[in-house]
Amino acid sequence: MLSKNMRWVYISIPIFFFWFFGQIDKLGISVIQTDPGFLQDMGLTGPDKNAKIGFMTFIFTVSYALSNLFWGVVIDKLGARKTAILGLVVWGITMIMAGMATSYEMFLVSRIILGIGEGIMIPVSGKFIANWFNRRELGRAQASWLTGNYLGPALGALALSMLIANFNWHYSFFLLAACNLLINIPMFLYLTRETPEEHPRLSKEELAYIREVDVTAKKEEGQKFTQDFRYWMVWVGMLASSFLFFGISIWLPTYLTQGKGFATEEMAGITSLSWVFALVFVLLCGFLADKTKRPAMLATILFALCAVCLTIAFNSTTPIVAGFALGLAMGTQGGVFQLSNLFIVKFSTPETAGRAAGLMGFTNILGGFSSYIMGFMRDSAGGDFGPSIIMLIVVALIGFLAYITTLKKEGAEVRLYAQANL
């Protein structure tokens, strides 16, 4: 059986660790920014410190989102494998830069370059999935590597907290640089190839299965992904999801320690658990998307659940309930991200998957705005997170409304699929 399923080894394992360490690189800052030593070294001690903390993520996500547009085109020309290796070299260098930073401005430069390098993540993954997997298994294929997207920060929150407590914040960046240069790059070099046809150890039977055509999923002749209105509704949903995801994930540790009075160990535990929630939603949505053929319906439910959890966090006077509710709200967006990446492959072709993913990845730009806006609103509200949470509830409802518009056509496709398989 393994000889007929080697795509799960050659592709899923490298991009699992690609996201595992990449997400710690990206979101570990949420834990690091709670360290008094880091705040002191970066000069983040004035009355506008929360806005400046939020700006670190803002500048990262702007460069990250803009580079998605560039990388999407590059990947369709250069290939996912070469692009991944190039990006990983950039990550390693920027992690070393961040660890050696002696000023806020120097640290910002490292985040800008990191954003440019990490802009490859969604396009590279989408391209590999489009090239290497049968269209009937897209949900499971996405979930297999998106697991790293959330397991990385779940374990990273605990590891970084321990590393900072026993050493200092500089070591966390040096360790991440070593992981990218010594683990990720060798995996892409020795396991992956651009297409299944190029891999010398792939069986003819597995290649035939990968290239098997599902006639019920075949696109209309000449139709491009940009001509399907559902792609643009998913794009709007991703704007909302990015705003929610970055806003909550970046500020959750600070919310727990400064807003609700949790100790550092308790903060790390709840933050880690919120990433576990996201991982559970990823795995569950990967299974249900393939089983029900209703990914848009699942995303609609997740946005509604997110709004409910945020409302509970806003109204609860019990710190543990508010913390868990906010963590669960963040977790729902893990499921939305999983489904959005499935739509990228569904609405595109292997030839256009890089561009479709790059355009979708551009939505991360709104995540940067959310981290900065939440910091600014907190400064304006005297440290209160209440107004920010209300804003997040409104954004969750926007995502809910965007996906509702796609349900009718999805339902028609499901009925057509059922009739074709009678």
Side-chain angles (χ1 to χ4, degrees), residues 134-138 209-219 293 417 420-421:
N134 186 287
R135 298 188 74 82
R136 290 193 296 267
E137 59 187 6
L138 295 182
Y209 175 73
I210 292 171
R211 294 300 181 228
E212 186 178 87
V213 177
D214 182 0
V215 294
T216 62
K218 190 175 181 180
K219 293 178 172 57
K293 312 298 181 186
Y417 179 85
N421 286 275

Side-chain angles (χ1 to χ4, degrees), residues 142-207:
Q142 298 283 11
S144 69
W145 59 266
L146 280 171
T147 301
N149 189 35
Y150 301 103
L151 187 59
L155 299 179
L158 299 175
L160 292 178
S161 296
M162 292 175 59
L163 197 63
I164 293 171
N166 290 282
F167 298 96
N168 58 54
W169 64 269
H170 301 275
Y171 283 89
S172 60
F173 289 105
F174 297 145
L175 177 62
L176 290 171
C179 290
N180 284 310
L181 297 175
L182 302 179
I183 297 176
N184 275 341
I185 290 179
M187 280 192 173
F188 277 98
L189 282 172
Y190 294 109
L191 290 179
T192 68
R193 296 294 186 274
E194 297 295 350
T195 65
E197 288 83 358
E198 297 176 28
H199 209 294
R201 295 185 295 277
L202 197 75
S203 68
K204 294 180 179 178
E205 293 81 6
E206 184 168 5
L207 177 60

Side-chain angles (χ1 to χ4, degrees), residues 51-66 104-105 107-116 364-365 367-369 371-372:
K52 291 176 73 175
I53 290 171
F55 189 75
M56 292 189 298
T57 299
F58 168 77
I59 201 68
F60 165 83
T61 51
V62 168
S63 63
Y64 178 79
L66 292 175
Y104 179 70
E105 291 74 20
F107 189 80
L108 287 181
V109 171
S110 74
R111 299 305 287 181
I112 292 171
I113 301 174
L114 177 64
I116 295 171
N364 283 285
I365 195 169
F369 279 97
S371 65
Y372 178 73

Side-chain angles (χ1 to χ4, degrees), residues 27-45:
L27 298 167
I29 188 64
S30 66
V31 174
I32 295 169
Q33 71 189 28
T34 65
D35 176 48
F38 173 77
L39 297 177
Q40 187 68 40
D41 290 345
M42 295 297 106
L44 298 171
T45 56

Side-chain angles (χ1 to χ4, degrees), residues 1-15 128-129 131-135 137 140-141 144 191-192 196 199 201-203 205-207 209-211:
M1 288 295 292
L2 182 60
S3 64
K4 296 181 180 179
N5 292 280
M6 292 304 293
R7 62 195 179 281
W8 299 97
V9 175
Y10 297 146
I11 300 302
S12 294
I13 291 178
I15 56 178
F128 270 126
I129 294 299
N131 279 333
W132 274 83
F133 291 88
N134 186 287
R135 298 188 74 82
E137 59 187 6
R140 282 166 291 163
S144 69
L191 290 179
T192 68
H199 209 294
R201 295 185 295 277
L202 197 75
S203 68
E205 293 81 6
E206 184 168 5
L207 177 60
Y209 175 73
I210 292 171
R211 294 300 181 228

Side-chain angles (χ1 to χ4, degrees), residues 238-294:
M238 270 292 283
L239 280 174
S241 183
S242 296
F243 195 96
L244 291 163
F245 178 77
F246 278 99
I248 299 174
S249 64
I250 294 299
W251 283 106
L252 179 60
T254 304
Y255 171 81
L256 294 172
T257 54
Q258 298 181 16
K260 294 300 179 181
F262 287 98
T264 300
E265 296 78 9
E266 296 169 327
M267 173 275 290
I270 296 177
T271 299
S272 180
L273 185 61
S274 70
W275 290 103
V276 174
F277 288 152
L279 175 58
V280 170
F281 279 114
V282 165
L283 298 175
L284 187 61
C285 288
F287 171 77
L288 292 177
D290 285 342
K291 190 75 173 177
T292 66
K293 312 298 181 186
R294 297 300 303 266

